[in-house]
Amino acid sequence: MEKVTTDKLLQDLSAVIQDAEALLQATAGQTGEKVAEIRGQAAETVRKARERMAEAGVEVQEKAKAVAKSTDAYVHENPWTSIAIAACLGFLVGTLSSRR
């Protein structure tokens, strides 16, 4: 089972929006009151989904900036600890990659 992430959800939502827009364009020539009503509802749903997707993107950016700022502050407050952690991670990555 695939792990669901925010990026994956945003990609899926984007694909649904694109499909809905293509469907709206494909049915543009259709006439009738019921078709017009459904097209109107679909267009409104797509508009709301685009807004939510934009809001989610802004939230992700804000969270990433906050994490980067806190990491930067930690590194400046604890430079030697940060160097030791980076060295250990480098050693682990080097060890794991050399086994392949």
Side-chain angles (χ1 to χ4, degrees):
M1 179 177 235
E2 184 178 345
K3 182 179 178 184
V4 178
T5 64
T6 304
D7 290 337
K8 179 67 175 146
L9 289 173
L10 289 175
Q11 289 173 355
D12 291 346
L13 182 57
S14 178
V16 169
I17 290 171
Q18 290 174 358
D19 291 346
E21 287 176 337
L23 182 60
L24 286 171
Q25 289 175 356
T27 60
Q30 301 293 321
T31 59
E33 186 176 316
K34 188 67 173 173
V35 172
E37 179 184 337
I38 293 170
R39 283 180 46 78
Q41 290 173 352
E44 180 63 17
T45 301
V46 168
R47 184 190 64 76
K48 287 179 182 179
R50 281 198 176 280
E51 287 176 4
R52 287 187 193 119
M53 194 168 77
E55 291 170 3
V58 169
E59 284 182 32
V60 168
Q61 285 180 337
E62 289 173 356
K63 287 179 183 179
K65 286 179 184 179
V67 168
K69 284 182 183 180
S70 65
T71 302
D72 185 56
Y74 179 82
V75 169
H76 280 90
E77 292 171 8
N78 305 293
W80 290 110
T81 304
S82 301
I83 290 171
I85 291 170
C88 289
L89 287 174
F91 176 76
L92 287 174
V93 169
T95 302
L96 293 174
S97 65
S98 68
R99 289 185 179 183
R100 293 182 184 203

